[in-house]
Amino acid sequence: MSKAGALDLATGLGGKIDKSDVLSAVEKYEKYHVCYGGDEEERKANYSDMVNKYYDLVTSFYEFGWGESFHFAPRFKGESLRESIKRHEHFLALQLGLKPGQKVLDVGCGIGGPLREIARFSSTSVTGLNNNEYQISRGKELNRIAGVDRTCDFVKYGCYSEIYRVLKPGQCFAAYEWCMTDSFDPHNQEHQKIKAEIEIGDGLPDIRLTGQCIDALTKAGFEVIWSKDLAVGSPVPWYLPLDTSHFSLSSFRLTAVGRFFTKNMVKALEFVGLAPKGSQRVQDFLEKAAEGLVEGGR
């Protein structure tokens, strides 16, 4: 797991965006979203620009607060966040039936935390597919540090239909998606607010219903042999690390106290010029996402 510190956060902010252009990138990104007058069609039409701006702006925050694996996981009582994430990555490897020496694709791989863990666990070679140059370069550096740069790599990618095309016949693809449940009511203003907060804070043009994601897989040619809402039946709520009423020393940076500390640290770094102008604005929309995820999860 990443041990990113304050200077790593400051130097990484903005990704491939020139530091002097970070504030204008934040402003343009915000305008894509409902909270700032944007709409879904504009986000879809400018998907590549929106998503790349998002990941350039937030990746160092993710790594500082969450680690190298940018996902949630079902969690047992007494289990730390990091332990649950690692166990879930092992679970995915076992579900796919990975064997030593096999070649694996990780689509939408972030900076490669899951692919490195799965490669070590299953003795496979994993290629991460990503459309963000900063995350690719950061992932390659972390591969080198972890000593897996000979078996793990990154390339830029296209989605489901392309995955189906390149997958060997009879092999498996595991999809792990953000989805709205059937409890979502598009006519409920509170539900719409929660959805909008998650979209701006997680770089999403839209969040689909679970059934729509499964339909997209079948339309691409896949046979869906297993699907499950992993939030159902989890002994510990998946959103607990983001709940400000929860305190954990092992996930201190995600607690209310830790987030308060990070907010003021970023403010100070921006004030002295170590972090680019606009850094606080990035943290603000990440906070919106955290609030939306907790309310949506409840």
Side-chain angles (χ1 to χ4, degrees), residues 48-173:
S48 181
D49 180 66
M50 184 198 74
V51 170
N52 272 290
K53 278 187 171 58
Y54 174 78
Y55 284 112
D56 277 335
L57 293 169
V58 307
T59 293
S60 60
F61 275 104
Y62 272 27
E63 191 176 350
F64 179 78
W66 206 258
E68 294 176 24
S69 295
F70 302 164
H71 64 85
F72 293 92
R75 191 170 162 192
F76 295 127
K77 291 181 179 179
E79 187 176 45
S80 72
L81 173 64
R82 292 187 174 188
E83 289 169 343
S84 71
I85 285 174
K86 181 179 288 191
R87 178 176 55 78
H88 187 62
E89 290 162 358
H90 294 178
F91 167 77
L92 286 175
L94 293 170
Q95 284 290 98
L96 287 169
L98 298 183
K99 303 284 193 303
Q102 284 186 320
K103 293 181 179 180
V104 181
L105 292 177
D106 180 359
V107 183
C109 59
I111 58 173
L115 74 81
R116 284 184 287 277
E117 186 61 40
I118 287 173
R120 288 183 291 230
F121 176 73
S122 60
S123 299
T124 53
S125 297
V126 186
T127 298
L129 304 183
N130 198 322
N131 64 358
N132 181 264
E133 291 285 358
Y134 174 67
Q135 288 198 338
I136 289 173
S137 62
R138 179 62 179 152
K140 286 184 175 181
E141 173 64 11
L142 291 170
N143 281 357
R144 185 190 64 76
I145 293 170
V148 296
D149 48 315
R150 291 186 178 181
T151 57
C152 297
D153 200 7
F154 296 82
V155 295
K156 294 193 77 172
Y157 78 104
C159 203
Y160 285 162
S161 57
E162 182 66 9
I163 298 164
Y164 184 78
R165 186 186 70 79
V166 301
L167 202 62
K168 288 184 178 180
Q171 297 304 303
C172 294
F173 167 59

Side-chain angles (χ1 to χ4, degrees), residues 180-240:
M180 304 298 289
T181 70
D182 291 336
S183 297
F184 174 69
D185 179 0
H187 303 295
N188 183 307
Q189 288 189 340
E190 183 62 21
H191 288 194
Q192 286 285 11
K193 175 179 174 290
I194 290 169
K195 181 173 180 284
E197 289 174 341
I198 296 171
E199 286 168 348
I200 188 173
D202 290 290
L204 301 168
D206 187 25
I207 312 176
R208 300 293 190 185
L209 291 168
T210 303
Q212 291 174 312
C213 290
I214 292 173
D215 286 345
L217 284 164
T218 56
K219 286 176 181 176
F222 285 103
E223 176 191 0
V224 179
I225 58 176
W226 186 81
S227 66
K228 177 180 172 61
D229 180 350
L230 294 171
V232 176
S234 177
V236 176
W238 60 269
Y239 55 82
L240 188 67

Side-chain angles (χ1 to χ4, degrees), residues 249-296:
L249 285 175
S250 64
S251 303
F252 176 75
R253 290 176 180 177
L254 298 174
T255 64
V257 177
R259 280 149 65 175
F260 177 80
F261 170 79
T262 301
K263 183 180 180 69
N264 284 281
M265 179 186 69
V266 171
K267 184 177 181 179
L269 289 169
E270 186 172 333
F271 179 77
V272 300
L274 289 176
K277 292 185 185 304
S279 298
Q280 294 179 76
R281 296 262 289 272
V282 176
Q283 185 171 22
D284 287 343
F285 64 67
L286 288 173
E287 284 288 342
K288 280 184 185 293
E291 292 165 8
L293 287 166
V294 171
E295 290 304 310

Side-chain angles (χ1 to χ4, degrees), residues 25-41:
V26 172
E27 291 171 343
K28 187 172 181 182
Y29 173 76
E30 288 174 339
K31 288 176 182 176
Y32 281 129
H33 291 274
V34 173
C35 306
Y36 294 88
D39 60 50
E40 181 184 332
E41 291 309 313

